[in-house]
Amino acid sequence: MINHEIKIAFEEYSTLAELSKADQNICQEAVKAMENSHSPYSKFRVGAALQLQSGKVIHGSNQENVAYPSGLCAERVALFNWGANHPADPIKTIAITAHTNDFEIIKPVTPCGSCLQVMAEYEKKQDEHLRIILYCIDGPVWVTTGVASFLPFMFFEDRLIAQ
Ligand code: THU
């Protein structure tokens, strides 16, 4: 039997003001993205903003549906928009934030496994790590580089990639 241990690393900042202007800006874009959240069922609003290399910013917000499983997380709305419309313009940073009137959010919202897996796919596709910023409006900000920090066991199989 072998015991394995995996360490993940991320930075924690106590307020947004500690980040660079560029990082603060993309976090504010994630806040703006939340405006179009369609979340009448959970009342949990999530915004994601992608900073692209060209300077372009892409917004995504969670889109729910009365047929609950048909909804989609903010991150994948933004990421699939990128994949469909801007695949040649690398993603530098993704910022994610959330808000609800129902309770206080005091720690960053971490993307679900499916969203991390989608991020991992595009990170491989563009051959460049993403910076991931998890912005808690009333709490700390977590920053990491590379999806593997949050999803060390992402699914990946070279032999399934079309040549
Ligand atoms: N949600 C996101 O959009 N992103 C996350 O990282 C976590 C969860 C959405 C899905 C659903 O609309 C609502 O938040 C409650 O789960």
Side-chain angles (χ1 to χ4, degrees):
M1 193 272 271
I2 304 171
N3 273 315
H4 295 278
E5 205 175 304
I6 291 178
K7 273 194 185 161
I8 63 157
F10 60 93
E11 299 159 6
E12 177 169 309
Y13 299 86
S14 47
T15 66
L16 194 59
E18 290 174 29
L19 277 79
S20 69
K21 284 279 171 266
D23 284 350
Q24 289 182 34
N25 182 62
I26 196 65
C27 287
Q28 295 305 349
E29 292 288 342
V31 173
K32 277 190 216 156
M34 268 195 308
E35 284 170 21
N36 290 335
S37 165
H38 176 68
S39 41
Y41 308 104
S42 71
K43 307 212 166 33
F44 192 75
R45 305 173 74 80
V46 186
L50 307 182
Q51 177 67 64
L52 307 190
Q53 188 171 285
S54 66
K56 192 179 251 310
V57 171
I58 292 180
H59 285 177
S61 50
N62 55 331
Q63 301 297 317
E64 298 182 351
N65 191 279
V66 65
Y68 293 177
S70 303
L72 200 62
C73 295
E75 295 89 326
R76 271 176 292 162
V77 170
L79 289 160
F80 287 148
N81 180 335
W82 176 81
N85 298 303
H86 308 279
D89 191 356
I91 306 167
K92 305 303 283 182
T93 305
I94 177 168
I96 299 149
T97 195
H99 176 77
T100 178
N101 290 328
D102 291 349
F103 51 86
E104 228 191 335
I105 301 176
I106 53 164
K107 68 176 183 50
V109 165
T110 46
C112 76
S114 297
C115 288
L116 289 169
Q117 182 68 39
V118 168
M119 268 180 232
E121 178 85 15
Y122 289 156
E123 193 175 67
K124 290 253 160 49
K125 183 176 175 179
Q126 69 176 23
D127 199 21
E128 207 184 305
H129 280 144
L130 307 187
R131 262 164 74 67
I132 305 170
I133 307 182
L134 308 181
Y135 171 36
C136 179
I137 295 168
D138 296 310
V141 187
W142 291 352
V143 182
T144 198
T145 301
V147 180
S149 307
F150 291 149
L151 192 66
F153 281 106
M154 66 180 70
F155 176 68
F156 188 67
E157 174 50 75
D158 277 316
R159 291 161 298 181
L160 290 177
I161 293 183
Q163 299 309 309

